[in-house]
Amino acid sequence: MNETLEGILKEVHQIRDQIKDVETLENFRVKFLGRKGLLANLADELKSLDDEKKKKFGYQFNLAKKEIESVYEELKQNLVQEPKVRFSFRHPGQKPLVGHLSPISLALNQAIKIFTNLGFKTILGSEIENEYYNFDALNIPADHPARDLWDTFWLDQKKEEEVDKKNQRSKKNKNKNTDRYLLRTHTSPSQVHYLEKNFPPFRIIIPGKVFRYEATDKTHEFEFHQLEGLAIGAGANLAELKGVLEKFFSEFYKKNLKIRLRPAYFPFVEPGLEFDVECIFCLNQKKKGCAICKQSGFIEIGGAGMVHPFVFKSVGLDSSKNYGYAFGLGLERIIMIRYKINDIRLFHSNDKRFIEQF
Ligand code: FA5
């Protein structure tokens, strides 16, 4: 065999084992089989030989070319069969990130379940109210000092002009203070809407978001959730209210925490009261420096009382024939107690370290 061809073949077999990736394989192809490669150079030489030599050398050339081509094909096959990145079907997959309910939704769902079992129907109210429903109908007229209790986000009047005009045209609202709109400061206005359209007896809860224009601290947010309750009809008295609250809290916390009722003033109930749950942060020890219960041993959860005759009058019901109780509790507060969350502002902080714990 021609010496040059022999040398080329020898080199092919020497380096074939070193070819482990696509890049070196391509270098191999260019070097031996490419248009300017070693074989192509030899083929040029072939042209200048006489017929006899051309025949002999041509035969050897073709044999060598076939051999190099088959080495190249074999190497190529091996590389295709052994890809760099291997995939095993037995390898556990990566779990996709799936969201979950927030602690507020979880608590709300549970609260709805408990109250449903106690005979309460769930109603939803509107987050935008007008002055009449949020205040006037609840016995809080414009000059009443109780309005100071609820710092309010008023809505931009100009944008509401069209809605106001519509309301002014309506006979029903002729003498009512329906011109000014606001973000509701409590869920109690929904009591009035429901009482206007429904006849007792009934027992309802109204959960939802409320807004107050106030400075925040560990137990106060400017946007939080309340759960309103309203029971009108035979048996809806303070004794039942106490039983309902005790049952709710023992089911919600799955243990018996002490509940305290104390007299309080709300213009839309008479008598009025506030209810507290014992502080789990200092275990009702009134520990010095407990910033959550402010060393009172209890955390305020909500207000309640017997529906005021004024409210019945507002909705056209006879207060001598109807009676019942109402209550409103702060949802974030009861969740804070359950999970020992020591700052209400964490709920809306969007901090994944907080959210992922639920
Ligand atoms: C009211 O909002 C009354 N509407 C409750 C009521 C309903 C009384 C029916 C009588 C009859 P108050 O402003 O106290 O009351 O709020 C009720 C509860 O909401 C509080 O006890 C507390 O748990 C929660 N709360 C009040 N302000 C905040 C705040 N800024 N941040 C978080 N929770 C709050």
Side-chain angles (χ1 to χ4, degrees):
M1 184 182 261
N2 175 293
E3 277 180 19
T4 324
L5 268 179
E6 264 184 36
I8 293 174
L9 280 175
K10 203 172 159 197
E11 190 181 349
V12 164
H13 289 293
Q14 269 171 358
I15 65 170
R16 61 177 294 170
D17 291 341
Q18 295 159 23
I19 293 171
K20 302 272 188 240
D21 57 48
V22 181
E23 202 182 334
T24 47
L25 180 67
E26 179 59 9
N27 291 341
F28 175 92
R29 189 192 65 76
V30 171
K31 181 173 180 179
F32 296 101
L33 300 167
R35 273 200 299 142
K36 290 180 183 165
L38 295 176
L39 280 186
N41 286 344
L42 266 185
D44 286 342
E45 282 178 30
L46 194 72
K47 284 178 200 157
S48 60
L49 297 176
D50 61 37
D51 284 355
E52 187 67 21
K53 284 186 180 164
K54 203 187 261 179
K55 210 172 159 188
K56 194 176 162 206
F57 183 62
Y59 176 71
Q60 290 175 348
F61 178 87
N62 285 337
L63 279 182
K65 190 177 175 202
K66 270 194 185 152
E67 190 171 335
I68 298 172
E69 279 172 350
S70 77
V71 169
Y72 172 72
E73 283 305 320
E74 196 185 321
L75 289 170
K76 195 167 145 187
Q77 280 298 317
N78 289 347
L79 282 186
V80 172
Q81 280 165 13
E82 288 188 38
K84 252 184 179 174
V85 182
R86 295 185 186 199
F87 181 77
S88 159
F89 287 96
R90 281 171 297 174
H91 195 273
Q94 232 180 13
K95 262 194 179 173
L97 276 176
V98 186
H100 58 82
L101 292 179
S102 78
I104 296 174
S105 302
L106 288 170
L108 190 56
N109 290 346
Q110 195 195 347
I112 290 174
K113 219 171 173 180
I114 299 170
F115 279 114
T116 304
N117 288 341
L118 290 171
F120 287 76
K121 189 171 140 189
T122 305
I123 302 297
L124 290 181
S126 157
E127 287 173 9
I128 294 180
E129 279 293 351
N130 62 44
E131 195 173 358
Y132 172 74
Y133 287 98
N134 198 81
F135 293 123
D136 300 71
L138 291 167
N139 200 16
I140 317 171
D143 57 353
H144 197 291
R147 278 217 187 181
D148 299 344
L149 297 176
W150 289 285
D151 298 312
T152 310
F153 289 108
W154 294 96
L155 297 193
D156 186 346
Q157 220 49 42
K158 277 178 198 149
K159 284 184 196 146
E160 301 302 331
E161 264 169 15
E162 284 309 304
V163 190
D164 291 347
K165 273 182 203 156
K166 260 192 215 162
N167 272 317
Q168 278 157 14
R169 257 184 264 133
S170 144
K171 261 188 195 164
K172 195 174 140 218
N173 293 325
K174 211 174 163 189
N175 300 317
K176 292 179 182 172
N177 222 347
T178 53
D179 295 2
R180 293 210 299 160
Y181 283 81
L182 51 94
L183 294 180
R184 66 175 171 190
T185 58
H186 52 169
T187 40
S188 301
S190 301
Q191 284 186 33
V192 183
H193 287 291
Y194 194 82
L195 280 163
E196 276 180 344
K197 296 189 193 89
N198 297 275
F199 285 101
F202 53 72
R203 279 166 176 72
I204 56 165
I205 52 163
I206 313 147
K209 212 180 256 186
V210 300
F211 310 83
R212 292 189 191 177
Y213 182 61
E214 64 180 33
T216 64
D217 62 25
K218 278 174 182 286
T219 50
H220 291 86
E221 256 293 14
F222 65 88
E223 178 186 328
F224 58 100
H225 293 76
Q226 285 191 339
L227 189 142
E228 190 86 7
L230 179 68
I232 311 288
N237 53 27
L238 285 185
E240 182 183 298
L241 170 68
K242 187 166 180 273
V244 163
L245 290 177
E246 278 174 357
K247 184 78 187 152
F248 171 73
F249 287 116
S250 70
E251 294 259 322
F252 188 79
Y253 292 122
K254 305 257 182 292
K255 65 174 164 181
N256 288 330
L257 289 176
K258 266 189 214 144
I259 293 163
R260 182 174 76 172
L261 305 183
R262 54 194 164 77
Y265 171 68
F266 296 96
F268 38 95
V269 286
E270 179 60 40
L273 56 97
E274 273 181 329
F275 51 97
D276 311 328
V277 170
E278 68 180 304
C279 176
I280 39 116
F281 295 95
C282 66
L283 294 169
N284 194 19
Q285 297 296 300
K286 302 182 187 177
K287 254 193 200 159
K288 230 182 168 187
C290 181
I292 311 298
C293 69
K294 299 186 182 80
Q295 293 155 63
S296 69
F298 282 90
I299 299 173
E300 181 202 314
I301 298 296
M306 294 301 287
V307 177
H308 198 288
F310 183 94
V311 178
F312 284 123
K313 203 172 146 216
S314 299
V315 297
L317 284 175
D318 186 346
S319 62
S320 65
K321 294 192 179 121
N322 292 287
Y323 71 95
Y325 59 83
F327 61 89
L329 58 85
L331 205 62
E332 279 84 350
R333 296 261 177 100
I334 62 172
I335 305 169
M336 287 172 78
I337 292 172
R338 165 185 278 176
Y339 296 113
K340 289 196 170 185
I341 298 167
N342 62 4
D343 195 326
I344 193 170
R345 291 166 293 196
L346 284 166
F347 285 104
H348 289 142
S349 64
N350 240 354
D351 188 335
K352 276 178 86 181
R353 290 167 304 179
F354 172 72
I355 284 296
E356 280 172 356
Q357 294 178 53
F358 301 94

